[in-house]
Amino acid sequence: MAAVGAGGSTAAPGPGAVSAGVLEPGTTSAELLLTQGREREAAQAPVQGLPQPFPDTSARIPAHRRLKYISLAVLVVQNASLILSIRYARTLPGDRFFATTAVVMAEVLKGLTCLLLLFAQKRGNVKHLVLFLHEAVLVQYVDTLKLAVPSLIYTLQNNLQYVAISNLPAATFQVTYQLKILTTALFSVLMLNRSLSRLQWASLLLLFTGVAIVQAQQAGGGGPRLLDQNPGVGLAAVVASCLSSGFAGVYFEKILKGSSGSVWLRNLQLGLFGTALGLVGLWWAEGTAVARRGFFFGYTPAVWGVVLNQAFGGLLVAVVVKYADNILKGFATSLSIVLSTVASVRLFGFHVDPLFALGAGLVIGAVYLYSLPRGAAKAIASASASVSTSGPCIHQQPPGQPPPPQLSSHRGDLITEPFLPKSVLVK
C-alpha cells in the first residue's frame, strides 16, 4: 500500500543532495522525495529581484485550483478504492488467490514502471540508462543496501493489509488503519527528536479513542460477519501494519538525509528488494500451495484490478501529492473513510450503528486537527481574544502616505485563506 519512493533534514546538503523536511504521519517515501526535490529547486533558484507588489496572477488561479481538486479526488479514490477492491476480491465466492503472489506482482509492476520512466528520462538511450543504474545501484551499493530495511517492512506491511482486510469490514479497517498517524508521530518523536504541539497530542488521543470505540463496536458483533472472518486476527494485523508503516516511514526519512536520487530510482531500488523479499515470504508462507496450484491461481479481473491499483496507485499519488498540502491530505483521508463506509453499506451489507458513527467521527476530526499547520489554533485563539477584548483593529496610516491596497480573497499570490500554508499557493 505504501508505494514507496514517495515517503527530511535541515542540514545544508551539497548540490544534488536530498534535504529532508518534516515528515507528516502517513506520508509515503515518494511524497518525502518530491518535497525534498522542491526544496532543492527552491534553494538553487536564482534571485530575480524584488517582485511587483501585487502581480496579476488571476490567469493562473483557475488552473491551480483545478489541480488541487484533481489531487483531492485522486487521493480520495486511491485511499478508498484499494481497500474496497481488496475486500471485494477476498470475499468473492470461489477459489481465493494467494495474497503473497499479489504483493510480488505489485512490486514487479512498480519496478518495471519506474524502469520505463528512468528510460524515458534518459531519452531512450539504453547505454546511458545502464551506466546510470550501474553507478546508482552497484557502485553506490551502500545507499542501495540502506533501502533493504524499509523494503522488508513495506513488504511485510502489504501482506499484513491483506490479512487485516480479509478479516475486517472495509469501513472498520479504514478507520482503524488511521492508527498509522499515531505510530508515525511516536516514532518521529523517538527517532528524530521531533516535538508535537498540544493540539497534535490532543488529536492523537482523540484518534486513539475513536479507533477504540470502533473496535468495541466490532467486538460487539456489529454488522454481518463471514464464517471464516476473525476480527481478532484482523485487529492484530492492522495494528502490526500501522506499527510497520510508522517505523518504515520514519526510518526511510532518516536514511534519506543527505542522500541523492530521484523518486523513480528509489522506487526501482525498493521494487528490487520488495520483489526478492516478497518471493521469500511467498515460499515461506504458501510455497507448497503455490507450487501445487500455480502462481496465478484464483486470479480474476478483480484480482488484477487490486494488483494494478497497488502497483500504480501509490505512484500516481506520489505525483499528484505535489499539489496537495497536509490539510488537503487530511480532507482526503476523511472523505475516503466516508466513501469506504458508504460503499461498504452498499456492497457488503455493512451496518452503521451509532457507536461506529461516533468512533469514525472522532477519527475524522482527529485527522483534520492533526493536519492543521503548527500554531494555527494558537493564532486563531489569539486573534479571537484580541477581537473580543479590544474590538476591531483599524490600521492607522501615517500622514502623507497613500492608503494600502485592498487585498482580494481570490489572489493566488497572497495567503488569505485560513489554515492554508504558503507552500500550497506557490507550488
Side-chain angles (χ1 to χ4, degrees):
M1 206 127 148
V4 209
S9 165
T10 55
V18 177
S19 74
V22 178
L23 176 70
E24 292 294 332
T27 301
T28 61
S29 49
E31 297 172 21
L32 174 63
L33 286 167
L34 287 172
T35 301
Q36 293 166 339
R38 293 196 301 274
E39 291 175 352
R40 187 165 62 250
E41 292 172 2
Q44 296 174 349
V47 178
Q48 300 294 337
L50 293 177
Q52 294 297 323
F54 300 99
D56 184 11
T57 58
S58 58
R60 298 200 304 267
I61 294 174
H64 179 77
R65 288 182 178 175
R66 280 198 299 271
L67 288 173
K68 284 179 61 178
Y69 295 142
I70 292 173
S71 301
L72 176 62
V74 171
L75 290 170
V76 171
V77 171
Q78 205 279 332
N79 282 342
S81 64
L82 180 59
I83 294 169
L84 292 170
S85 60
I86 292 178
R87 178 67 178 177
Y88 178 75
R90 296 294 283 177
T91 55
L92 281 176
D95 296 328
R96 177 178 288 189
F97 68 99
F98 299 110
T100 51
T101 64
V103 172
V104 171
M105 283 304 303
E107 292 298 328
V108 170
L109 292 176
K110 189 192 310 176
L112 291 176
T113 302
C114 293
L115 185 62
L116 290 175
L117 290 170
L118 290 173
F119 182 66
Q121 286 182 351
K122 299 303 176 182
R123 299 183 178 181
N125 192 312
V126 178
K127 181 179 179 181
H128 288 177
L129 177 64
V130 171
L131 292 176
F132 170 75
L133 293 178
H134 177 267
E135 173 69 22
V137 178
L138 298 179
V139 175
Q140 300 179 19
Y141 66 92
V142 175
D143 285 343
T144 302
L145 291 176
K146 287 180 180 179
L147 298 176
V149 173
S151 181
L152 171 63
I153 298 174
Y154 284 130
T155 303
L156 173 64
Q157 175 190 344
N158 289 336
N159 282 283
L160 286 172
Q161 285 175 350
Y162 277 99
V163 176
I165 298 174
S166 299
N167 289 278
L168 291 174
T172 303
F173 171 85
Q174 182 76 296
V175 173
T176 309
Y177 191 60
Q178 302 314 311
L179 280 176
K180 64 183 179 180
I181 299 176
L182 173 63
T183 58
T184 306
L186 294 179
F187 281 120
S188 297
V189 171
L190 295 175
M191 297 174 61
L192 301 176
N193 296 321
R194 291 258 163 79
S195 61
L196 301 178
S197 66
R198 292 181 180 178
L199 178 63
Q200 288 176 317
W201 281 115
S203 66
L204 292 177
L205 178 61
L206 196 66
L207 173 71
F208 183 82
T209 303
V211 170
I213 292 174
V214 169
Q215 285 302 318
Q217 179 266 352
Q218 181 66 26
R225 180 181 301 173
L226 300 180
L227 295 177
D228 59 346
Q229 182 174 294
N230 189 330
V233 173
L235 176 60
V238 75
V239 170
S241 180
C242 290
L243 287 170
S244 62
S245 174
F247 177 79
V250 175
Y251 179 84
F252 195 82
E253 179 189 7
K254 191 177 181 69
I255 66 174
L256 277 180
K257 291 183 177 181
S259 66
S260 61
S262 70
V263 60
W264 311 125
L265 173 62
R266 294 309 185 199
N267 263 302
L268 175 61
Q269 292 171 314
L270 287 165
L272 293 174
F273 281 115
T275 301
L277 294 170
L279 288 172
V280 172
L282 184 155
W283 172 79
W284 180 75
E286 300 173 320
T288 303
V290 171
R292 185 175 69 254
R293 296 187 173 185
F295 188 92
F296 296 106
F297 173 78
Y299 271 57
T300 63
V303 177
W304 280 111
V306 170
V307 172
L308 294 175
N309 194 337
Q310 196 165 32
F312 302 128
L315 296 178
L316 181 61
V317 169
V319 174
V320 302
V321 80
K322 174 181 179 180
Y323 306 100
D325 59 276
N326 291 326
I327 297 178
L328 198 66
K329 289 190 288 183
F331 273 124
T333 300
S334 301
L335 290 175
S336 66
I337 292 175
V338 175
L339 180 60
S340 296
T341 303
V342 173
S344 295
V345 172
R346 299 283 296 181
L347 296 176
F348 311 119
F350 182 74
H351 175 65
V352 179
D353 60 14
L355 203 58
F356 178 87
L358 174 61
L362 291 176
V363 170
I364 291 173
V367 170
Y368 173 74
L369 289 175
Y370 195 95
S371 65
L372 290 179
R374 196 178 183 89
K378 184 184 297 185
I380 291 180
S382 301
S384 301
S386 175
V387 170
S388 61
T389 56
S390 59
C393 177
I394 300 182
H395 177 72
Q396 299 294 332
Q397 191 69 14
Q401 295 293 327
Q406 297 297 318
L407 302 185
S408 170
S409 62
H410 70 274
R411 297 187 67 88
D413 57 317
L414 301 174
I415 309 173
T416 58
E417 299 180 58
F419 303 134
L420 195 58
K422 183 177 180 181
S423 60
V424 179
L425 301 176
V426 298
K427 287 177 184 173

